[in-house]
Amino acid sequence: MHELTRLKYLNAMGIPAYVSRRALPGAAKTRRLVQVPRMLEPAGCDDSNAQETPLERSSESIFEGPAASPVESLPARQLEQLVGSPRANSADKSQRFSIAALVTGGYLWLEDLADRPLAKAQVELVQSMAFALGGKAASADITQFDWPIHSNSQLDLGSDAGSEALMTFLLRRLDQSGCRGVILLGQPMRERLGDTDWHVEQFFCPHSTAEMLASAGCKRAVWQVLSTLREA
């Protein structure tokens, strides 16, 4: 139904039509309408002597044409009040991150992927370290947390929201797996989660699996940490 006709029908039935002043979280993009100087006349009334309203004259451009967004012509400050600031709502590139979570050998192994996919060699290295600790082969239950988890700019995509979502994800993984400890692989992972109270033992390895694969000398420093777990 044409929008003008719909509004005339609603007005004739005494039903008010409302348009949100601000974008609602999770809702479809609202189509903004210009304010009309007078109420639309009910359908069927004699409006032969009435003058055509600006809304009727420009109905094609408002409701159907590609330039149908009156919001775009508003001043930048007023537009920001209506739909929110894109800088505040969108995730900056520096706020994007991916965390690999591997459950094997009774521990939750965490590594910051730094925009790189988790390689098979990295998984095999974690399994080898778990085998060295427990003395038996074990498969790895692998999950990955990516932030932002959605592209809805109307919701909070900032770093604080990302940290809260990550902690919820990891604590749930820890609870489901029943791991007896958390092992942070690499300095970036320690900087992100070093102050977390896990309610289980936490161990920090100075190098990530990516660094160990790139330089075999890094494995010695990591084993010095892991050997304390083996002795315990």
Side-chain angles (χ1 to χ4, degrees):
M1 181 182 295
H2 193 280
E3 183 68 14
L4 290 178
T5 305
R6 188 184 73 87
L7 291 175
K8 284 183 178 181
Y9 287 169
L10 291 175
N11 187 65
M13 292 185 291
I15 300 175
Y18 298 96
V19 178
S20 63
R21 299 182 61 183
R22 291 182 173 82
L24 302 177
K29 185 176 181 181
T30 303
R31 212 165 206 180
R32 302 294 171 182
L33 306 180
V34 297
Q35 293 183 349
V36 295
R38 63 181 178 84
M39 291 294 293
L40 297 175
E41 296 295 332
C45 67
D46 183 11
D47 57 354
S48 58
N49 296 326
Q51 294 183 352
E52 188 179 32
T53 68
L55 180 59
E56 292 167 339
R57 289 197 302 269
S58 58
S59 61
E60 294 298 323
S61 63
I62 293 177
F63 295 103
E64 298 174 2
S69 179
V71 178
E72 294 178 359
S73 62
L74 295 174
R77 185 173 182 179
Q78 187 176 355
L79 176 61
E80 182 175 316
Q81 292 176 349
L82 287 174
V83 300
S85 171
R87 294 182 179 179
N89 291 333
S90 61
D92 186 80
K93 185 177 181 180
S94 61
Q95 297 171 348
R96 299 179 181 272
F97 60 89
S98 296
I99 304 299
L102 299 89
V103 175
T104 182
Y107 292 93
L108 176 62
W109 307 70
L110 303 176
E111 179 166 343
D112 193 324
L113 297 178
D115 295 330
R116 295 186 301 267
L118 182 65
K120 181 180 179 180
Q122 292 175 274
V123 177
E124 293 175 346
L125 179 55
V126 171
Q127 289 178 302
S128 297
M129 290 188 289
F131 174 78
L133 293 177
K136 59 181 180 179
S139 60
D141 182 6
I142 307 168
T143 52
Q144 182 171 320
F145 179 87
D146 298 312
W147 182 261
I149 58 177
H150 54 76
S151 57
N152 189 347
S153 59
Q154 294 178 338
L155 302 180
D156 187 3
L157 302 179
S159 58
D160 291 340
S163 298
E164 292 179 4
L166 174 61
M167 282 309 308
T168 300
F169 167 79
L170 294 179
L171 290 174
R172 184 170 63 249
R173 290 289 294 134
L174 195 61
D175 181 65
Q176 293 172 346
S177 62
C179 291
R180 59 178 178 269
V182 177
I183 300 177
L184 307 181
L185 296 168
Q187 185 63 30
M189 201 68 248
R190 184 178 191 178
E191 293 175 355
R192 189 175 296 278
L193 296 173
D195 296 331
T196 303
D197 184 8
W198 297 98
H199 304 294
V200 293
E201 290 184 297
Q202 174 180 302
F203 304 92
F204 165 65
C205 295
H207 300 289
S208 65
T209 58
E211 293 172 329
M212 285 185 276
L213 291 171
S215 176
C218 296
K219 295 180 180 179
R220 182 181 297 274
V222 172
W223 181 245
Q224 290 177 351
V225 176
L226 297 181
S227 60
T228 60
L229 278 70
R230 188 180 184 183
E231 294 171 358

